[in-house]
């Protein structure tokens, strides 16, 4: 880039790294003194234009934050105390900052209900998940049983394990708390602990302050402290002070922050795992938010801990090694034996390395084995509820064999991007009580998708004399109504909404998808995208269950009994809000790929949204057993008032960190091509967005400086961003002709939380004009 002043690119980058955490990333970018800016001008259509002279001079980015071979942004860790104490927030680390705190959930972690923690130890960590913008991994590990767990710990054997931002975003989207790990081990660990624990308070407070600052800056929720080496008397004497200070500071700076202690060192300083909470390690439990026991316990250990834990039973996380190493209860597909004992005594559970199903079993059977593992534990795993709108999910796992955008295929080939994982349901198979023929089964499926890389496949049977079955989005039951034709898949639209009371469903074991506890605003918008596979004429529709929210008060939501609920069948919406007109106008129509979209508007007052049912009803006049296979592509529940606010526009798109490489010539007599890498930045309020879709339009290399492309070009999708920046890597562009400019345009499309398509006029744009150096 041509500089606005005499400041060099290297000098500007060095200034970036000295910025402090007191400012946000965007504020930091604006405050950079002498910040090197490329020359640009604004065209009539408000598109920022940047001019670049192609140069093949290497200009490397920091290896800590970017892959040294590709310059793709990566997650990172710290390996020493010196690195931890020297760390300061850096603009280059912006790719590693999560979107925000965990979504609202019920019950909160503070409720005292026994919790479930996962300690994710996967082959040393930082594998395919380290690539923040995704990778082309063909058989990656995916976790999607989020509704069963409350806390996710990203674990590795590096001194400071910072959770990859993709995991943090996925966890927070499901209302799950994300922790990093601070670990010391062996002789090197002893030396590290002596350096910060054996001295005065300033030493251990400095370490604690850095750990708090990291959690605050990267927006994860706290730390697992794992000291697995012996300590001197001076060091172990200061350890409780360190834990108390760390916990207090974290609670001040990070909402709902947590500090957990792993059962290792005892109060004498010896490394001696106890497999329980007792008087030898209780001082550490008393100094933080929770205690994670070692794995070689028996039921007598649990019985002894009842007295030690007192009223803090839920703060004791009994460790379960899923690999079943050592003398343990259960493990592997017998992990339910461990959970049964843990829940019997009222403790929380910490499942260590449930990735066993991926590491040790056939990769080709991963999804079946993953579902089997969690289905065996289901009865011991209380779920939590989502309690805020909008609620939107396309069931995408954050991976796939192709990419699809609202029914249109964008790219073919394997991809893995945990950041892109949407809210996941519960999976399983359930049958009607007293009837061996009626059943419903749900599972994820990569074979087809409406938006992303996967969809939810629902198979089932409606037995004779049963009018319909419904897959609930909350209650743990498979609903069956004896009245035929309770719900039909509406194909006509009406402007008014009719709420009809339905007979209560028969209480039978069955399938739930999601758990909701949402105070209903005056008007909500609902949408269902689905398609039936095969010749079935089964009807598909949405139903909702509401409860009386009159007992609710500010700051909490009362749990309601099933008897206070009423069930309604909304009729489809004819005239959607303006923002959704382009999309919802297809309501009731057959879309590309066989998908159908149903849209609803519902007006309710003083209610609590508890259930969404996807109802499957037999065709009129049919009395035979009905088999069906239905693929769900998306479910939306949106506060209609949120659609009245003006739509923000992506602004101030800039281009930086440019790298050029020569590509191989495509044929004799043709000039060698170019490959462009660069970073886009833009301005947008992140609370309003799910993600950004980044596109480009590539010119021919012969455009004139002041003119755009002669004909509109269909944008090429490049990838997804979950922060106000995106790194473009090795983009093939045409070489600039002699004395002429090449041109490439970048477009940033916001995807609102409500999940509707944004008109292209609201996208952000920036163009680069590039020329070859003069010889």
């Amino acid at each position: 880039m041509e500089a606005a002043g005499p400041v060099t690119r290297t000098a500007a980058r060095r200034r970036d790294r000295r910025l402090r955490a007191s400012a946000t990333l965007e504020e930091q970018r604006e405050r950079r003194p002498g910040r090197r800016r490329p020359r640009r001008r604004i065209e009539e259509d408000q598109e920022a234009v940047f001019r670049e002279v192609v140069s093949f001079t290497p200009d490397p980015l920091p290896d800590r934050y970017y892959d040294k071979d590709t310059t793709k942004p990566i997650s990172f860790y710290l390996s020493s105390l010196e690195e931890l104490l020297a760390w300061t927030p850096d603009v280059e680390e912006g790719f590693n900052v999560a979107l925000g705190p965990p979504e609202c959930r019920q019950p909160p972690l503070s409720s005292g209900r026994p919790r479930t923690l996962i300690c994710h130890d996967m082959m040393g960590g930082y594998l395919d998940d380290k690539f923040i913008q995704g990778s082309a991994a063909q058989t990656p590990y995916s976790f999607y049983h989020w509704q069963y767990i409350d806390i996710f710990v990203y674990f590795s054997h590096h001194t400071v394990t910072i959770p990859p931002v993709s995991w943090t975003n996925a966890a927070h989207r499901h209302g799950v708390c994300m922790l990093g790990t601070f670990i010391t081990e062996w002789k090197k660990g002893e030396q590290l602990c002596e350096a910060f624990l054996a001295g005065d308070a300033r030493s251990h407070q400095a370490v604690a302050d850095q750990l708090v600052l990291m959690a605050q800056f990267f927006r994860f929720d706290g730390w697992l402290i794992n000291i697995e080496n012996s300590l001197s008397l001076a060091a172990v004497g200061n350890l409780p002070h360190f834990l108390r200070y760390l916990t207090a500071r974290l609670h001040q700076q990070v909402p709902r922050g947590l500090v957990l202690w792993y059962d290792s060192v005892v109060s004498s300083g010896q490394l001696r795992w106890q497999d329980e909470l007792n008087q030898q390690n209780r001082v550490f439990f008393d100094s933080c938010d929770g205690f994670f026991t070692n794995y070689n316990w028996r039921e007598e250990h649990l019985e002894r801990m009842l007295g030690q834990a007192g009223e803090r039973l839920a703060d004791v996380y009994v460790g379960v090694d899923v690999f079943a190493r050592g003398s343990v209860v259960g493990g592997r597909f017998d992990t339910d034996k461990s959970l049964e004992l843990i829940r019997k005594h009222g403790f929380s559970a910490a499942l260590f390395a449930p990735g066993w199903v991926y590491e040790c079993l056939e990769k080709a059977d991963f999804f079946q084995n993953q579902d089997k593992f969690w289905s065996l534990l289901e009865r011991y795993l209380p779920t939590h509820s989502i309690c805020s709108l909008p609620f939107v999910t396309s069931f995408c796992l954050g991976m796939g064999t192709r990419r699809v955008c609202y029914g249109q295929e964008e790219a073919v080939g394997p991809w893995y991007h945990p950041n892109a994982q949407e809210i996941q349901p519960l999976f399983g198979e359930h049958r009607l009580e007293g009837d061996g023929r009626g059943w419903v089964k749900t599972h994820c499926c990569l074979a087809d998708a409406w938006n992303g890389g996967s969809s939810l496949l629902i198979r089932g049977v409606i037995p004779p004399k049963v009018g319909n079955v419904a897959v609930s989005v909350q209650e743990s039951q498979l609903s069956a109504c004896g009245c035929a034709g309770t719900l039909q898949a509406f194909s006509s639209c009406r402007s008014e909404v009719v709420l009809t009371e339905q007979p209560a469903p028969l209480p039978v074991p069955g399938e739930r998808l999601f758990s909701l506890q949402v105070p209903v605003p005056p008007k909500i918008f609902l949408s269902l995208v689905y398609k039936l596979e095969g010749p079935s004429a089964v009807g598909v529709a949405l139903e909702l269950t509401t409860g009386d929210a009159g007992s609710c008060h500010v700051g909490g939501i009362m749990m309601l009994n099933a008897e206070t609920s009423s069930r309604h069948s909304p009729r489809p919406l004819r005239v959607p809000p303006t923002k959704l007109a382009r999309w919802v106008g297809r309501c009731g129509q057959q879309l590309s790929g066989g998908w159908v979209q149903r849209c609803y508007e519902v007006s309710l007052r003083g209610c609590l949204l508890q259930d969404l049912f996807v109802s499957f009803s037999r065709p009129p006049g049919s009395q035979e057993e009905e088999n069906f296979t239905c693929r769900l592509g998306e479910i939306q529940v949106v506060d209609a008032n949120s659609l009245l606010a003006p739509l923000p526009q992506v602004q101030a798109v800039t281009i930086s960190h440019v790298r050029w490489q020569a590509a191989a010539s495509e044929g004799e007599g043709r000039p060698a091509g170019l490959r462009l890498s660069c970073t886009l930045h833009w301005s947008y309020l992140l609370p309003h967005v799910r993600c950004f879709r980044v596109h480009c339009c590539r010119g021919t290399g012969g455009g004139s400086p002041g003119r755009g492309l002669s004909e509109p070009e269909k944008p090429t999708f490049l990838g997804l961003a979950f922060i106000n920046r995106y790194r473009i890597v090795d983009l093939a562009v045409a070489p600039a002709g002699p004395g002429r400019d090449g041109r490439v345009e970048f477009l940033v499309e916001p995807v609102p939380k409500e999940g509707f398509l944004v008109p292209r006029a609201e996208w952000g744009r920036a163009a680069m004009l590039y020329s070859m150096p003069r010889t």
Side-chain angles (χ1 to χ4, degrees):
M1 292 285 181
E2 297 177 4
V7 182
T8 66
R9 186 178 297 176
T10 302
R13 186 174 294 121
R14 287 173 180 165
R15 285 192 185 86
D16 289 351
R17 297 181 191 140
R18 292 197 291 266
L19 296 171
R20 302 301 301 174
S22 58
T24 65
L25 289 175
E26 296 305 317
E27 290 171 337
Q28 290 173 13
R29 291 181 58 225
E30 292 304 317
R31 295 178 187 176
R32 282 151 62 178
R35 178 167 150 228
R36 179 182 178 279
R37 296 176 183 270
R39 191 180 304 164
R40 75 176 189 180
R41 60 186 174 81
I42 306 298
E43 294 185 338
E44 293 180 359
D45 59 1
Q46 296 300 303
E47 178 183 72
V49 178
F50 296 79
R51 185 176 293 278
E52 172 79 1
V53 176
V54 175
S55 171
F56 301 111
T57 303
D59 188 14
L61 292 167
D63 288 348
R64 174 181 285 178
Y65 313 123
Y66 298 91
D67 181 70
K68 63 181 180 179
D69 296 322
T70 65
T71 77
K72 293 180 179 180
I74 56 174
S75 298
F76 72 98
Y77 53 84
L78 303 179
S79 299
S80 68
L81 182 63
E82 292 74 21
E83 282 187 283
L84 172 61
L85 293 175
W87 176 83
T88 58
D90 190 322
V91 169
E92 298 293 352
E93 296 171 318
F95 285 105
N96 286 278
V97 177
L99 274 169
E103 291 291 334
C104 172
R105 53 166 283 166
Q106 287 291 338
L109 286 181
S110 58
S111 67
R113 185 184 75 172
R115 307 169 198 123
T116 304
L117 175 152
I118 277 184
C119 194
H120 176 70
D121 178 23
M122 175 67 73
M123 302 162 63
Y126 301 99
L127 304 173
D128 294 313
D129 54 4
K130 76 177 180 181
F131 293 102
I132 296 170
Q133 294 179 174
S135 72
Q138 295 192 8
T139 57
Y141 174 77
S142 176
F143 178 75
Y144 48 90
H145 290 84
W146 292 101
Q147 288 194 66
Y148 286 135
I149 72 167
D150 303 288
I151 301 168
F152 190 101
V153 179
Y154 195 85
F155 182 88
S156 78
H157 290 273
H158 304 291
T159 303
V160 179
T161 299
I162 302 167
V165 65
S166 57
W167 282 105
T168 303
N169 280 333
H172 285 179
R173 199 169 287 131
H174 292 84
V176 172
C177 179
M178 172 62 69
L179 305 185
T181 305
F182 178 73
I183 186 172
T184 63
E185 302 174 282
W186 315 110
K187 189 65 177 179
K188 185 178 179 181
E190 288 185 36
Q191 296 169 351
L192 188 153
C193 288
E194 290 301 308
F196 84 96
L197 283 174
D200 59 25
R202 289 176 297 178
S203 297
H204 68 252
Q205 288 177 3
V207 171
D209 287 339
Q210 289 293 87
L211 294 176
V212 171
L213 183 58
M214 279 189 164
Q216 182 184 16
F217 182 80
F218 294 116
R219 296 178 184 165
F220 60 94
D221 307 298
W223 296 95
L224 170 68
I225 306 300
N226 186 5
I227 307 297
E228 294 204 62
N229 49 258
S230 299
L231 299 174
S232 68
L233 290 177
V236 77
N238 282 328
L239 187 51
H241 301 298
F242 165 69
L243 290 174
R244 281 193 290 268
Y245 181 82
L246 172 62
T247 304
R249 290 284 294 149
L250 188 75
H251 290 176
Q252 291 172 1
Q253 301 299 325
V254 178
R256 298 178 295 276
L258 287 176
V259 176
L260 304 183
W261 170 261
Y262 176 65
D263 166 25
S264 49
V265 171
V266 294
S267 56
S268 66
Q270 293 177 290
L271 176 61
R272 200 166 66 208
W273 298 272
Q274 299 295 292
D275 304 303
E276 65 176 327
L277 173 66
N278 58 32
Q279 287 300 318
Q280 296 191 67
N281 53 34
R282 183 186 174 90
V283 62
F284 309 120
F285 175 59
D286 292 338
S287 303
C288 65
D289 294 308
F291 184 89
F292 183 151
T293 78
N294 193 46
Y295 313 105
N296 297 306
W297 49 267
R298 289 289 182 268
E299 188 170 9
E300 53 265 30
H301 292 86
L302 306 182
E303 292 169 348
R304 287 196 296 265
M305 283 197 297
L306 291 172
Q308 290 288 335
E311 297 181 353
R312 294 183 63 192
L313 284 179
D315 294 335
V316 177
Y317 299 81
V318 180
V320 178
D321 182 3
V322 176
F323 274 76
R325 292 163 289 201
S327 178
V328 300
V329 175
R332 302 176 183 174
F333 284 127
D334 290 325
T335 299
D336 59 315
K337 296 178 181 178
S338 306
L339 266 293
E340 181 181 13
L341 291 178
I342 293 169
R343 299 309 195 205
K344 172 184 173 181
H345 295 283
F347 293 111
S348 293
L351 303 179
F352 184 79
W356 166 80
V357 298
Y358 176 84
E359 291 190 55
C360 296
L361 304 180
E362 289 293 332
K363 300 291 191 295
D365 300 326
F366 168 66
F367 290 108
Q368 296 93 316
N369 289 326
Q370 176 99 314
D371 291 343
K372 175 183 176 181
F373 176 83
W374 289 99
S375 67
L376 292 170
L377 306 182
E378 179 181 3
R379 55 183 166 163
Y380 304 114
L381 302 176
T383 61
H384 56 270
S385 301
I386 297 167
C387 61
S388 62
L389 296 181
F391 172 79
V392 180
T393 182
S394 64
F395 306 99
C396 179
L397 291 172
M399 60 182 294
T401 58
R402 61 180 186 141
R403 288 183 182 270
V404 181
C405 180
Y406 302 123
Q408 300 296 320
E409 185 175 86
E410 287 186 316
V412 177
W415 63 276
Y416 175 61
H417 198 336
N419 259 316
Q421 187 182 88
E422 297 282 353
I423 298 175
Q424 293 299 306
L426 297 172
F427 303 91
E429 179 178 0
H430 297 276
R431 295 183 176 272
L432 293 171
E433 278 188 358
D435 185 287
R437 298 161 70 181
W439 56 271
V440 170
K441 182 177 181 180
T442 62
H443 60 87
C444 56
C445 183
L446 301 179
D448 200 357
W450 164 251
N451 190 33
S454 56
S455 55
L456 182 68
L457 199 63
I458 305 177
R459 293 190 175 96
V461 170
I462 306 175
K465 299 182 181 180
V466 173
N468 71 336
V469 295
V471 180
S472 167
V473 187
Q474 196 269 344
E475 293 297 331
S476 181
Q477 61 185 22
L478 171 62
S479 302
C481 286
C483 52
T486 300
L487 272 182
Q488 300 296 326
F490 295 97
S491 59
S492 61
C493 292
R494 299 179 57 178
S495 57
E496 75 273 12
V497 176
V498 178
L499 303 176
T500 54
E501 301 250 346
Q502 299 294 335
L506 301 177
V508 293
E511 185 68 10
R512 54 180 172 166
L513 293 183
F514 301 100
S515 180
L516 303 174
Q517 289 291 329
V518 182
V520 179
K523 185 179 291 185
I524 57 175
F525 176 89
L526 300 97
S527 173
L528 171 68
V529 177
Y530 72 95
K531 66 176 172 181
L532 287 166
E533 300 192 344
S536 175
V538 166
V540 182
L542 278 178
E543 296 184 18
L544 60 90
T545 296
T546 61
D548 178 9
S551 59
C552 293
H553 57 85
V554 176
I557 297 177
M558 300 292 292
M559 300 295 291
L560 303 175
N561 295 324
E563 300 85 59
T564 65
S565 299
S566 59
R567 191 169 172 186
H568 312 284
S569 297
R571 293 187 178 179
L573 176 70
R574 175 182 296 223
V575 182
T578 303
K579 288 183 180 178
L580 295 177
R582 293 176 60 203
W583 188 15
V584 182
R586 302 171 296 187
C587 185
Q589 302 298 313
Q590 195 79 8
L591 307 178
S592 61
W595 295 99
V596 175
Q597 183 176 9
R598 303 289 186 219
C599 313
Y600 307 87
E601 184 182 82
V602 182
S603 297
L604 295 171
R605 182 170 297 179
C607 296
L608 192 73
L609 180 60
Q610 293 180 313
D611 310 270
L612 282 176
F613 291 85
V614 180
S615 174
F616 302 92
S617 56
R618 63 174 58 257
S622 168
Q623 298 298 323
E624 303 298 322
E625 181 176 276
E626 293 289 341
N627 295 269
F628 64 88
T629 299
C630 181
R631 190 179 298 277
L632 294 189
E634 186 172 67
I635 290 179
Q636 282 182 299
V637 185
V638 177
D639 181 353
N641 286 334
S642 71
L643 304 177
L644 303 178
L647 187 66
Q649 183 174 3
V650 175
Q651 297 180 333
V653 182
T654 63
I655 303 172
S656 64
H657 295 328
V658 176
R659 184 178 80 160
W660 294 98
Q661 290 180 298
S665 175
E666 296 182 0
E668 186 176 350
R670 295 185 179 182
L674 295 171
R675 294 199 175 272
L676 168 64
S677 299
C678 62
T679 300
L680 303 182
H681 302 258
W682 57 87
S683 177
Y684 199 89
L685 294 176
L686 291 178
H688 297 300
V689 75
R690 293 165 73 188
C691 65
F692 301 93
R693 291 166 44 82
V694 181
H695 313 262
C696 78
C697 292
R698 286 169 282 201
T700 62
S704 61
R707 180 172 59 85
L709 299 177
S710 58
E711 295 182 3
E713 178 185 346
K714 182 180 179 181
T716 300
F717 175 72
L718 298 179
L720 299 176
F722 293 82
I723 198 73
N724 287 341
R725 57 181 61 199
Y726 184 80
R727 180 70 181 168
I728 294 163
V729 176
D730 289 341
L731 177 68
V733 297
R740 309 178 73 181
D741 289 330
R743 177 185 171 98
V744 59
E745 182 182 31
F746 300 109
L747 303 99
V748 179
E749 173 191 3
V751 180
K753 281 192 171 181
E754 292 85 357
F756 53 83
L757 285 169
V758 172
R760 188 164 168 180
E762 307 300 330
W763 299 8
R765 291 186 297 161
M768 177 189 290
L769 301 180
Y770 55 93
S771 59
M772 301 305 293
R774 296 176 182 175
T775 56

